[in-house]
Amino acid sequence: MVAAGGAGREPDEAAHRAAAAEAGPRQTWTALPWLVRTAVVWSACLVVIAAGLYLLARITLLVTPLAIALAATFFLAALLDPVQLALRRLRLPASLAALLTVLLLLGILGGLGVLVWNLTANQFSELGDELQQGLGRTRDFITSTLPVTDQQLDGLIDQLRKAATEQEVDPVASARTVTEVFGSALLALVLLFFLLKDGRAMWHWTLRRMTGPNREVAAEAGRVGWRTLGSYTRGTMLIAAIDAIGIGLALVLLGVPLAFPLALITFIGGFVPIIGATVAGAVAVLVALAANGPTTALLTLAAVIAVQQIEGNLLEPLVMKRQVRLHPVVILLAVTAGTLIAGIAGAFVAVPIAAVAWRVIDSVLRQRQAAAAPRPAPAAPEEPPATANPAPG
């Protein structure tokens, strides 16, 4: 009897120990304060997200020319899509409309290059003398206003010149970089033609492969993302053009050499929010300082600040739609991350990618919330009012 009772208790004790072992981690987890549990969960989520982003960045680095070409293709396609649609309304075939749109882009870029060369080729011969005189005036201004002697300034200039001359240039790496840039540009043009020609057909083909509610979610997210990219691209181009015109006119009025190339640099820098405009303005101020002296440089700085303030406080709220605008902190983080991953090209495409990603995520979340919300019960039909029997005539 005792043996039988002991044998009966052994399974119970084993089950009890197993239940205690299973309940141990649960009891430990529930015993932790809610703040610690929340921190653990969020930390695990951040680790997973960081690992995914790191893996994506590593893959992007391996195929950097392809990634840059794809980003440039979508950027240009969103910019030129209205032109292609206007040509299609003229009853042109899709292939011809796409080809004319790409040729228009190449014509504009080639025309700008020829115009810049014609306007600045004559200034390069005089620029050397102007820079020497401007550097002399700048040197006198620095030594007269700052506690810096001529010997200290000469030593600093010699150190900078020595550091610049000691930089070794690898011809193989330079040739590879030029080849990658040329290949990426050619690939972007070819992809741009096919995206303008068959982009909508490819998107509809992708949607037809989806079933259920995912099709509607993907369709709406695609429409929102494409509208956001187009609005951002065209708005940024308009704002950059206005900045370039304003700063270029100021440079012409102040007599700063190479005003048109500096305006073109300002236009290109406008596609990198905050940082691009700052760098372009600094280049213009440095050229004015070296060529015409401190007074012109201060006037150039005032003109750059005035144009940027008008652009940031008046033009951007009017041109850029509210759903396209991002917080400055998000812009700075996106530009920094893009620069670290892909250099200058990454800085150009980081902000539009962030804007499109945010709008797509927001669209998906809104649709899922709308689908999960309880629908109101249909109202019961109202009974017609009772009418009195007509009195017999």
Side-chain angles (χ1 to χ4, degrees), residues 250-290:
L251 295 177
V252 170
L253 294 177
L254 293 174
V256 178
L258 302 178
F260 193 83
L262 291 174
L264 184 60
I265 293 174
T266 303
F267 175 76
I268 297 174
F271 287 91
V272 183
I274 300 177
I275 297 178
T278 303
V279 172
V283 171
V285 172
L286 289 176
V287 172
L289 177 64

Short mmCIF file of all heavy atoms in Angstrom, two decimals, residues 250-290:
data_model
loop_
_atom_site.label_atom_id
_atom_site.label_comp_id
_atom_site.label_asym_id
_atom_site.label_seq_id
_atom_site.Cartn_x
_atom_site.Cartn_y
_atom_site.Cartn_z
N ALA A 250 21.12 88.81 -56.38
CA ALA A 250 21.90 89.52 -55.37
C ALA A 250 23.39 89.49 -55.71
O ALA A 250 24.10 90.50 -55.57
CB ALA A 250 21.66 88.91 -53.99
N LEU A 251 23.89 88.35 -56.17
CA LEU A 251 25.30 88.25 -56.53
C LEU A 251 25.63 89.14 -57.74
O LEU A 251 26.71 89.75 -57.80
CB LEU A 251 25.65 86.79 -56.83
CG LEU A 251 25.57 85.82 -55.65
CD1 LEU A 251 25.86 84.40 -56.10
CD2 LEU A 251 26.52 86.22 -54.53
N VAL A 252 24.71 89.21 -58.71
CA VAL A 252 24.95 90.07 -59.88
C VAL A 252 24.97 91.54 -59.46
O VAL A 252 25.84 92.31 -59.90
CB VAL A 252 23.86 89.81 -60.94
CG1 VAL A 252 23.95 90.85 -62.05
CG2 VAL A 252 24.02 88.41 -61.53
N LEU A 253 24.04 91.95 -58.61
CA LEU A 253 24.00 93.35 -58.16
C LEU A 253 25.22 93.72 -57.33
O LEU A 253 25.69 94.87 -57.38
CB LEU A 253 22.72 93.60 -57.36
CG LEU A 253 21.41 93.50 -58.13
CD1 LEU A 253 20.22 93.68 -57.19
CD2 LEU A 253 21.37 94.53 -59.26
N LEU A 254 25.76 92.77 -56.58
CA LEU A 254 26.93 93.04 -55.76
C LEU A 254 28.24 92.89 -56.53
O LEU A 254 29.31 93.16 -55.98
CB LEU A 254 26.96 92.10 -54.55
CG LEU A 254 25.84 92.30 -53.52
CD1 LEU A 254 25.88 91.21 -52.46
CD2 LEU A 254 25.96 93.68 -52.87
N GLY A 255 28.17 92.44 -57.79
CA GLY A 255 29.37 92.31 -58.60
C GLY A 255 30.23 91.12 -58.24
O GLY A 255 31.46 91.15 -58.48
N VAL A 256 29.64 90.06 -57.70
CA VAL A 256 30.41 88.87 -57.35
C VAL A 256 30.64 88.04 -58.61
O VAL A 256 29.70 87.80 -59.38
CB VAL A 256 29.66 88.04 -56.29
CG1 VAL A 256 30.43 86.76 -55.96
CG2 VAL A 256 29.43 88.86 -55.04
N PRO A 257 31.87 87.61 -58.89
CA PRO A 257 32.12 86.80 -60.09
C PRO A 257 31.49 85.42 -59.97
O PRO A 257 31.19 84.94 -58.87
CB PRO A 257 33.64 86.72 -60.14
CG PRO A 257 34.10 86.94 -58.74
CD PRO A 257 33.11 87.89 -58.14
N LEU A 258 31.28 84.81 -61.13
CA LEU A 258 30.69 83.47 -61.21
C LEU A 258 29.31 83.43 -60.55
O LEU A 258 28.97 82.48 -59.83
CB LEU A 258 31.61 82.43 -60.57
CG LEU A 258 33.03 82.32 -61.14
CD1 LEU A 258 33.84 81.30 -60.37
CD2 LEU A 258 32.99 81.96 -62.61
N ALA A 259 28.51 84.47 -60.81
CA ALA A 259 27.20 84.53 -60.17
C ALA A 259 26.28 83.42 -60.67
O ALA A 259 25.54 82.81 -59.89
CB ALA A 259 26.56 85.90 -60.43
N PHE A 260 26.33 83.13 -61.98
CA PHE A 260 25.44 82.10 -62.51
C PHE A 260 25.80 80.71 -62.01
O PHE A 260 24.91 79.95 -61.62
CB PHE A 260 25.44 82.14 -64.04
CG PHE A 260 24.34 81.34 -64.67
CD1 PHE A 260 23.07 81.87 -64.82
CD2 PHE A 260 24.56 80.05 -65.09
CE1 PHE A 260 22.05 81.13 -65.38
CE2 PHE A 260 23.55 79.29 -65.66
CZ PHE A 260 22.29 79.84 -65.79
N PRO A 261 27.08 80.30 -62.01
CA PRO A 261 27.39 78.99 -61.41
C PRO A 261 27.02 78.90 -59.94
O PRO A 261 26.57 77.85 -59.47
CB PRO A 261 28.90 78.86 -61.62
CG PRO A 261 29.20 79.73 -62.77
CD PRO A 261 28.25 80.87 -62.67
N LEU A 262 27.20 80.00 -59.19
CA LEU A 262 26.81 79.97 -57.78
C LEU A 262 25.29 79.84 -57.63
O LEU A 262 24.81 79.16 -56.72
CB LEU A 262 27.30 81.24 -57.08
CG LEU A 262 28.82 81.36 -56.93
CD1 LEU A 262 29.19 82.72 -56.35
CD2 LEU A 262 29.36 80.24 -56.05
N ALA A 263 24.54 80.48 -58.53
CA ALA A 263 23.09 80.30 -58.49
C ALA A 263 22.70 78.87 -58.83
O ALA A 263 21.76 78.31 -58.25
CB ALA A 263 22.43 81.28 -59.46
N LEU A 264 23.43 78.25 -59.77
CA LEU A 264 23.16 76.86 -60.11
C LEU A 264 23.48 75.94 -58.93
O LEU A 264 22.74 74.97 -58.66
CB LEU A 264 23.97 76.46 -61.34
CG LEU A 264 23.73 75.05 -61.89
CD1 LEU A 264 22.28 74.89 -62.30
CD2 LEU A 264 24.65 74.76 -63.06
N ILE A 265 24.56 76.23 -58.21
CA ILE A 265 24.88 75.45 -57.00
C ILE A 265 23.78 75.61 -55.96
O ILE A 265 23.39 74.66 -55.27
CB ILE A 265 26.24 75.89 -56.44
CG1 ILE A 265 27.36 75.49 -57.41
CG2 ILE A 265 26.49 75.28 -55.07
CD1 ILE A 265 28.72 76.00 -57.00
N THR A 266 23.23 76.82 -55.84
CA THR A 266 22.13 77.04 -54.91
C THR A 266 20.90 76.25 -55.31
O THR A 266 20.20 75.68 -54.46
CB THR A 266 21.79 78.54 -54.87
OG1 THR A 266 22.96 79.28 -54.51
CG2 THR A 266 20.68 78.82 -53.87
N PHE A 267 20.63 76.18 -56.63
CA PHE A 267 19.49 75.39 -57.10
C PHE A 267 19.66 73.91 -56.78
O PHE A 267 18.73 73.24 -56.31
CB PHE A 267 19.32 75.60 -58.60
CG PHE A 267 18.26 74.75 -59.22
CD1 PHE A 267 16.92 75.04 -59.06
CD2 PHE A 267 18.61 73.62 -59.97
CE1 PHE A 267 15.93 74.24 -59.61
CE2 PHE A 267 17.63 72.82 -60.54
CZ PHE A 267 16.29 73.13 -60.36
N ILE A 268 20.85 73.38 -57.03
CA ILE A 268 21.10 71.96 -56.74
C ILE A 268 21.05 71.70 -55.24
O ILE A 268 20.50 70.70 -54.78
CB ILE A 268 22.45 71.54 -57.34
CG1 ILE A 268 22.41 71.67 -58.86
CG2 ILE A 268 22.80 70.11 -56.94
CD1 ILE A 268 23.74 71.41 -59.53
N GLY A 269 21.62 72.62 -54.46
CA GLY A 269 21.60 72.45 -53.01
C GLY A 269 20.21 72.54 -52.41
O GLY A 269 19.96 72.02 -51.32
N GLY A 270 19.27 73.16 -53.13
CA GLY A 270 17.90 73.24 -52.63
C GLY A 270 17.21 71.90 -52.52
O GLY A 270 16.21 71.78 -51.82
N PHE A 271 17.73 70.89 -53.23
CA PHE A 271 17.13 69.56 -53.15
C PHE A 271 17.55 68.80 -51.89
O PHE A 271 17.06 67.71 -51.65
CB PHE A 271 17.49 68.74 -54.39
CG PHE A 271 16.76 69.19 -55.62
CD1 PHE A 271 17.31 70.15 -56.45
CD2 PHE A 271 15.53 68.67 -55.94
CE1 PHE A 271 16.65 70.58 -57.60
CE2 PHE A 271 14.85 69.09 -57.08
CZ PHE A 271 15.41 70.04 -57.90
N VAL A 272 18.49 69.36 -51.13
CA VAL A 272 18.85 68.81 -49.82
C VAL A 272 18.39 69.82 -48.78
O VAL A 272 19.06 70.82 -48.54
CB VAL A 272 20.37 68.56 -49.70
CG1 VAL A 272 20.70 67.92 -48.36
CG2 VAL A 272 20.84 67.68 -50.84
N PRO A 273 17.22 69.65 -48.17
CA PRO A 273 16.67 70.66 -47.27
C PRO A 273 17.62 70.99 -46.13
O PRO A 273 18.35 70.13 -45.62
CB PRO A 273 15.37 70.02 -46.76
CG PRO A 273 15.03 68.99 -47.78
CD PRO A 273 16.33 68.49 -48.31
N ILE A 274 17.61 72.26 -45.74
CA ILE A 274 18.35 72.81 -44.61
C ILE A 274 19.85 72.80 -44.89
O ILE A 274 20.49 73.85 -44.99
CB ILE A 274 18.03 72.08 -43.30
CG1 ILE A 274 16.53 72.18 -42.97
CG2 ILE A 274 18.87 72.64 -42.15
CD1 ILE A 274 16.12 71.43 -41.72
N ILE A 275 20.43 71.62 -45.03
CA ILE A 275 21.88 71.51 -45.18
C ILE A 275 22.32 72.03 -46.55
O ILE A 275 23.33 72.75 -46.66
CB ILE A 275 22.32 70.06 -44.98
CG1 ILE A 275 21.99 69.61 -43.55
CG2 ILE A 275 23.81 69.90 -45.25
CD1 ILE A 275 22.35 68.18 -43.26
N GLY A 276 21.61 71.68 -47.62
CA GLY A 276 22.01 72.10 -48.95
C GLY A 276 22.02 73.60 -49.13
O GLY A 276 22.96 74.17 -49.69
N ALA A 277 20.96 74.26 -48.64
CA ALA A 277 20.90 75.72 -48.75
C ALA A 277 22.00 76.38 -47.93
O ALA A 277 22.60 77.39 -48.35
CB ALA A 277 19.53 76.21 -48.30
N THR A 278 22.32 75.82 -46.77
CA THR A 278 23.38 76.39 -45.93
C THR A 278 24.74 76.28 -46.60
O THR A 278 25.53 77.23 -46.63
CB THR A 278 23.40 75.68 -44.57
OG1 THR A 278 22.12 75.79 -43.95
CG2 THR A 278 24.45 76.29 -43.66
N VAL A 279 25.02 75.11 -47.18
CA VAL A 279 26.31 74.91 -47.85
C VAL A 279 26.43 75.81 -49.08
O VAL A 279 27.48 76.44 -49.32
CB VAL A 279 26.49 73.43 -48.23
CG1 VAL A 279 27.73 73.24 -49.08
CG2 VAL A 279 26.56 72.58 -46.97
N ALA A 280 25.35 75.90 -49.87
CA ALA A 280 25.39 76.75 -51.06
C ALA A 280 25.58 78.22 -50.68
O ALA A 280 26.35 78.95 -51.34
CB ALA A 280 24.10 76.58 -51.86
N GLY A 281 24.90 78.68 -49.64
CA GLY A 281 25.10 80.06 -49.19
C GLY A 281 26.51 80.31 -48.69
O GLY A 281 27.09 81.37 -48.94
N ALA A 282 27.10 79.32 -47.99
CA ALA A 282 28.47 79.48 -47.51
C ALA A 282 29.45 79.57 -48.67
O ALA A 282 30.41 80.36 -48.63
CB ALA A 282 28.83 78.30 -46.60
N VAL A 283 29.23 78.78 -49.73
CA VAL A 283 30.10 78.87 -50.91
C VAL A 283 30.02 80.25 -51.55
O VAL A 283 31.04 80.85 -51.93
CB VAL A 283 29.73 77.76 -51.91
CG1 VAL A 283 30.48 77.95 -53.23
CG2 VAL A 283 30.03 76.39 -51.34
N ALA A 284 28.80 80.79 -51.67
CA ALA A 284 28.64 82.12 -52.26
C ALA A 284 29.33 83.19 -51.42
O ALA A 284 29.99 84.10 -51.96
CB ALA A 284 27.15 82.45 -52.42
N VAL A 285 29.22 83.09 -50.10
CA VAL A 285 29.86 84.07 -49.22
C VAL A 285 31.38 83.97 -49.32
O VAL A 285 32.09 84.99 -49.34
CB VAL A 285 29.38 83.86 -47.76
CG1 VAL A 285 30.18 84.73 -46.80
CG2 VAL A 285 27.90 84.20 -47.65
N LEU A 286 31.92 82.76 -49.39
CA LEU A 286 33.36 82.59 -49.50
C LEU A 286 33.89 83.15 -50.81
O LEU A 286 34.96 83.78 -50.84
CB LEU A 286 33.72 81.11 -49.36
CG LEU A 286 33.56 80.50 -47.97
CD1 LEU A 286 33.86 79.02 -47.99
CD2 LEU A 286 34.47 81.22 -46.97
N VAL A 287 33.18 82.92 -51.90
CA VAL A 287 33.62 83.48 -53.19
C VAL A 287 33.57 85.01 -53.14
O VAL A 287 34.49 85.70 -53.63
CB VAL A 287 32.75 82.93 -54.33
CG1 VAL A 287 33.05 83.64 -55.64
CG2 VAL A 287 32.97 81.43 -54.49
N ALA A 288 32.51 85.57 -52.57
CA ALA A 288 32.43 87.03 -52.44
C ALA A 288 33.54 87.57 -51.55
O ALA A 288 34.11 88.63 -51.83
CB ALA A 288 31.06 87.41 -51.88
N LEU A 289 33.87 86.84 -50.48
CA LEU A 289 34.95 87.28 -49.60
C LEU A 289 36.29 87.24 -50.30
O LEU A 289 37.10 88.18 -50.19
CB LEU A 289 34.98 86.38 -48.36
CG LEU A 289 36.10 86.64 -47.35
CD1 LEU A 289 35.97 88.02 -46.74
CD2 LEU A 289 36.11 85.56 -46.27
N ALA A 290 36.55 86.18 -51.06
CA ALA A 290 37.85 86.05 -51.73
C ALA A 290 37.98 87.01 -52.90
O ALA A 290 39.08 87.49 -53.19
CB ALA A 290 38.04 84.62 -52.20
#
